[in-house]
Amino acid sequence: LGAVRPAPILIARMGAPDDPAGMGDARDFAPSSSRAARSPHPGGASGKYVEMHRVDKVRMMEEGSRTLQRHAAETLGAALDAEKAERAHARLKRMAAFDSHDYDPADNDLEEEALRARTKHDYKSANRWKWGLSVLIGVAMGFVAFTVDGLIDKLNAFKYGSVTTLIDANMPDVAVWLTFVTISASLAAVAGGFCSHVEPLAAGSGIPEMKTYLNGVHLKGLLRLRTVVAKLGGIAFSIGSGLIAGKEGPFVHGGGLVGGGLSAFGSHSLGFKTEKPNHFRNDADKRDFIAIGTAAGVAVAFGAPIGGCLFAVEEGASFYSQTMLWRGFLAPGVGGL
């Protein structure tokens, strides 16, 4: 048997939209040899119908779609000038930056088939990683708290040591006062520079943003590594300068980054992603680990594991599941230790 050719399809010729007869020039996408072979066909190349194969039909449909799009503005009364179109496009881009997270469980045949295909080992591995990541989140937040507290102590030691040296040298009070003010202002300027030039999202407490994120609203760049470095560095220099600031908000923000980053097994900022394990790369699991991270942040800020767990349950996430309650207590406990 020779090669089977696809059955030809008859498509009505379409003219320009303003052609009342509908018999304007239409593009024949078929090869020239095919047109020559079809010339004896009733209607001919200049008749009302053109014989086409499936590939040619798809191309004609795309051309017709572009024609309809060109005339959609006149039909629907949309904006015709480029300035209004650009403003509408910019508004859509701003809206896309706040897309909602998909926390709903997938309920379809494909998902059920994928779950049935998982082995007992896969379920055990995912469960072990859930508990293991909870411990890792607590350890990481404990290290972050230790680093920030050490930086604050160093800055305070430098500031008060410089002033004490001048006092011991019997320097004038004005010189001592100017030294203290200059050092404090310099440290505050560094903290402000983190928020102004490194990452504007690092400004403020961080708790409202994390609550917004955990309740389903995506804030682009909130959990970026640069954001948390600016946040933690800014709070260290702010406290070192003598400003009235606390560590709770930045540590909650930092805990969210640690939880989300560890559960993703990768980082966009550092440019890597592990092939396995890859159990928790979805919005629902990421939400749970971010909530655990915020609990660990409160725990290391105040040395209160139970308080951190209650913060995540009552204030942080509205989707805090009961199955992760003990894991949410394990991470703050490890971080507090």
Side-chain angles (χ1 to χ4, degrees):
L1 296 176
V4 179
R5 296 183 58 190
I9 300 174
L10 297 180
I11 301 178
R13 293 176 60 93
M14 297 178 59
D18 53 353
D19 187 358
M23 297 295 295
D25 293 334
R27 183 179 299 177
D28 187 358
F29 292 96
S32 57
S33 59
S34 299
R35 289 197 298 270
R38 293 197 303 266
S39 58
H41 191 275
S46 60
K48 187 176 181 180
Y49 295 97
V50 177
E51 182 182 3
M52 288 188 176
H53 297 290
R54 295 187 183 277
V55 176
D56 300 329
K57 175 188 176 184
V58 172
R59 295 177 62 183
M60 177 65 88
M61 291 173 63
E62 292 178 352
E63 181 67 18
S65 175
R66 287 192 291 268
T67 303
L68 292 177
Q69 290 177 2
R70 286 196 297 267
H71 295 274
E74 298 179 1
T75 304
L76 303 177
L80 296 178
D81 57 297
E83 182 179 357
K84 291 183 179 180
E86 289 179 359
R87 286 203 301 267
H89 182 64
R91 184 167 62 251
L92 291 176
K93 289 180 64 177
R94 290 195 300 270
M95 293 170 60
F98 298 93
D99 285 342
S100 298
H101 294 294
D102 185 10
Y103 291 156
D104 294 331
D107 186 11
N108 52 58
D109 294 339
L110 292 176
E111 182 66 19
E112 291 179 0
E113 186 67 25
L115 292 176
R116 283 193 292 266
R118 296 180 66 182
T119 63
K120 187 176 181 180
H121 174 74
D122 294 333
Y123 283 101
K124 286 185 176 181
S125 176
N127 191 50
R128 284 195 297 265
W129 273 110
K130 286 181 179 180
W131 288 95
L133 285 176
S134 300
V135 175
L136 290 177
I137 290 172
V139 172
M141 282 308 301
F143 177 77
V144 168
F146 178 80
T147 304
V148 173
D149 289 342
L151 180 58
I152 293 173
D153 291 340
K154 293 294 184 182
L155 294 176
N156 284 329
F158 169 72
K159 180 174 66 174
Y160 290 108
S162 301
V163 173
T164 303
T165 301
L166 295 178
I167 293 175
D168 293 339
N170 295 323
M171 296 296 293
D173 294 341
V174 176
V176 176
W177 180 80
L178 287 176
T179 302
F180 182 83
V181 171
T182 301
I183 295 175
S184 299
S186 300
L187 297 178
V190 173
F194 277 118
C195 300
S196 300
H197 302 290
V198 178
E199 182 54 61
L201 274 175
S205 166
I207 294 179
E209 290 83 358
M210 289 306 305
K211 291 172 67 175
T212 302
Y213 193 93
L214 288 173
N215 282 280
V217 179
H218 175 69
L219 300 178
K220 186 177 180 181
L222 181 66
L223 299 181
R224 198 179 304 168
L225 183 60
R226 182 176 64 182
T227 305
V228 178
V229 170
K231 171 79 75 174
L232 297 177
I235 193 60
F237 279 91
S238 297
I239 296 176
S241 67
L243 295 176
I244 302 175
K247 298 181 293 183
E248 179 189 3
F251 278 18
V252 168
H253 194 170
L257 170 88
V258 170
L262 290 179
S263 64
F265 298 102
S267 171
H268 292 292
S269 300
L270 300 179
F272 78 96
K273 182 190 297 184
T274 61
E275 293 185 4
K276 287 187 178 182
N278 55 359
H279 303 290
F280 312 117
R281 287 174 182 163
N282 57 77
D283 289 339
D285 287 328
K286 185 177 181 181
R287 171 202 65 202
D288 294 341
F289 283 105
I290 290 175
I292 292 175
T294 59
V298 175
V300 299
F302 298 110
I306 298 177
C309 183
L310 293 177
F311 170 83
V313 173
E314 297 176 358
E315 297 289 337
S318 297
F319 298 90
Y320 202 87
S321 60
Q322 188 176 5
T323 57
M324 60 173 290
L325 184 62
W326 285 107
R327 291 187 288 115
F329 177 72
L330 177 62
V334 174
L337 293 176

